[in-house]
Amino acid sequence: MGKVITGATMSLDGFIAGPGESGFEHLFAWYSSGDIEYPSTHPELSFKTSGANAKFLQELAGGTGACVVGRHLFDLTDGWGGIHPMNVPIVVLTHRVPEQWIAEHPGAPFTFVTEGIKAAVDAATRIAGEKNVAVNGGTMARQALEAGLVDELWVSVAPVLLGGGTPLIGQFEGAPLVLPDPEVIAGDRATHLRYRIR
């Protein structure tokens, strides 16, 4: 069985999006920091990274069997048009199932869960099989950490200060949570940190 991981690319001051959903060109500059191409299901989102970044991205994407995201990200991307850039099944935690979207995207590998974060992670774990479940940063990450569901925290720190926006974790009820020293991968335009939680 794989692990449950969570994390995201965040600014040096702790945000995964700037005010008004801004700052992504700075946060994700490491995706275009080299000449090693990493394709996605969406040609406009194909990445060209450097050696260390490419290795980190390949390990993250190649080891992921399903993702858990919230309704906000699902709506923001319109469900990626029915297929995630990493070409993995998606579990969406939501208060309301988007019946019209489902009807418009028959066969899309999306599962909608309304019973809370544990049910969403359980569903993703069944789908992922031997691979990892990746839980999106922000509210989903906080809920999964508070529920004790996360095995590892993967954070890519971008060299930018956004000054506000959406935090990686936010107001965590389990604070302080003291973690062991991370595995550190120094990439171009990002430093990748991998913390073992349990």
Side-chain angles (χ1 to χ4, degrees):
M1 179 179 290
K3 300 171 187 169
V4 176
I5 65 173
T6 192
T9 298
M10 74 173 190
S11 63
L12 196 56
D13 51 351
F15 299 100
I16 60 173
E21 306 292 348
S22 66
F24 296 116
E25 71 276 18
H26 304 296
L27 290 172
F28 299 124
W30 68 272
Y31 282 123
S32 56
S33 63
D35 56 7
I36 300 173
E37 187 165 3
Y38 194 93
S40 82
T41 58
H42 298 260
E44 72 279 9
L45 294 177
S46 291
F47 313 121
K48 286 191 173 182
T49 63
S50 65
N53 289 336
K55 181 180 177 184
F56 177 81
L57 182 60
Q58 185 171 21
E59 185 176 358
L60 175 63
T64 299
C67 293
V68 176
V69 305
R71 184 60 187 267
H72 177 70
L73 181 60
F74 172 83
D75 287 344
L76 189 66
T77 63
D78 189 30
W80 298 277
I83 184 167
H84 190 273
M86 289 197 309
N87 198 23
V88 295
I90 302 298
V91 175
V92 182
L93 181 57
T94 180
H95 292 296
R96 61 196 192 288
V97 176
E99 302 291 353
Q100 182 175 342
W101 186 92
I102 293 172
E104 293 170 352
H105 298 83
F110 283 69
T111 302
F112 297 89
V113 174
T114 59
E115 296 84 9
I117 189 65
K118 185 176 186 310
V121 170
D122 286 347
T125 300
R126 288 191 297 272
I127 293 167
E130 297 299 313
K131 289 192 170 185
N132 296 334
V133 169
V135 178
N136 195 59
T139 302
M140 296 297 97
R142 178 181 54 76
Q143 290 181 9
L145 282 165
E146 288 175 348
L149 301 172
V150 178
D151 297 305
E152 292 185 358
L153 176 62
W154 294 28
V155 182
S156 298
V157 182
V160 60
L161 299 171
L162 294 178
T166 303
L168 173 65
I169 303 295
Q171 303 248 338
F172 175 56
E173 288 184 4
L177 175 62
V178 179
L179 304 175
D181 290 338
E183 175 188 347
V184 180
I185 300 171
D188 296 327
R189 305 306 302 161
T191 300
H192 309 289
L193 308 173
R194 182 173 166 177
Y195 296 90
R196 180 165 292 174
I197 295 178
R198 63 177 189 178

